[in-house]
Amino acid sequence: MKRPVVFGIVGMALFVAASAAFAADKTKSEEAFDRLTSLKGEWKGQMSGVDTTLIYTVTANGSALMEECRPENGREMITMFTIDGEQLIATHYCSAKNQPQMATSTIIDAQKPLAFSLARITGLKSADDWHNTGLTVIQEDNDHLTQEWSYQSKGKTGKNIFHFTRVRQGTS
């Protein structure tokens, strides 16, 4: 009777040890995504002088981070962040009615700012139409976030820099 209990305890200990080892073997892209998901909650800032709210939600069984961008009296936009092998992908559903998909290079350091570059775009009617071409996400600390969006329109390029402060921690 003691033998099954001992085997059960040993088996459980091995299961716990294996689970901990598996969790410790995260890739750099998974570590960077975990850091990005720490944004969950509500953020306030200004975009081009317009008060703007960002809401981050972890969704799809933890495989995606959704950013809802809600400019005051403006058109909402969504950006979805996911892992793709050794890189992260950001697909932006823009109020300009196009969808740039941007990717990081291979993640080497999960603690550095995440720089996304345009990989492809859908919904673009003309190459001259306004569209985002890049995004850098800079997490200064747990409560301060900077986004640098690069864009192109009519053959010209530019950059917009936005600063946000956390106003509510996410619960999911």
Side-chain angles (χ1 to χ4, degrees), residues 36-141:
L36 201 56
T37 62
S38 72
L39 296 174
K40 64 186 172 189
E42 187 174 330
W43 298 73
K44 297 277 187 189
Q46 288 198 339
M47 296 178 77
S48 304
V50 176
D51 289 337
T52 301
T53 300
L54 297 180
I55 298 172
Y56 288 95
T57 306
V58 179
T59 188
N61 195 27
S63 68
L65 177 67
M66 179 172 65
E67 174 197 276
E68 296 174 71
C69 177
R70 299 178 176 178
E72 186 177 76
N73 302 322
R75 295 184 175 120
E76 294 182 11
M77 295 173 275
I78 292 176
T79 304
M80 299 295 291
F81 298 91
T82 56
I83 301 171
D84 184 29
E86 297 179 345
Q87 62 186 9
L88 298 185
I89 302 291
T91 304
H92 179 65
Y93 298 87
C94 189
S95 61
K97 298 184 179 179
N98 56 53
Q99 306 80 38
Q101 186 177 65
M102 300 165 280
T104 65
S105 56
T106 298
I107 305 283
I108 307 243
D109 184 347
Q111 299 305 310
K112 288 195 173 187
L114 295 170
F116 296 86
S117 298
L118 187 64
R120 66 186 216 116
I121 188 166
T122 58
L124 196 63
K125 293 179 181 156
S126 158
D128 281 343
D129 288 349
W130 194 97
H131 60 281
N132 287 302
T133 57
L135 165 64
T136 300
V137 178
I138 304 162
Q139 294 173 255
E140 288 121 30
D141 57 38

Side-chain angles (χ1 to χ4, degrees), residues 27-43:
T27 65
K28 293 294 183 192
S29 59
E30 290 168 329
E31 290 175 15
F33 184 75
D34 286 351
R35 184 167 177 252
L36 201 56
T37 62
S38 72
L39 296 174
K40 64 186 172 189
E42 187 174 330
W43 298 73

Side-chain angles (χ1 to χ4, degrees), residues 6-17:
V6 170
F7 285 134
I9 292 170
V10 169
M12 184 59 76
L14 288 172
F15 175 76
V16 169

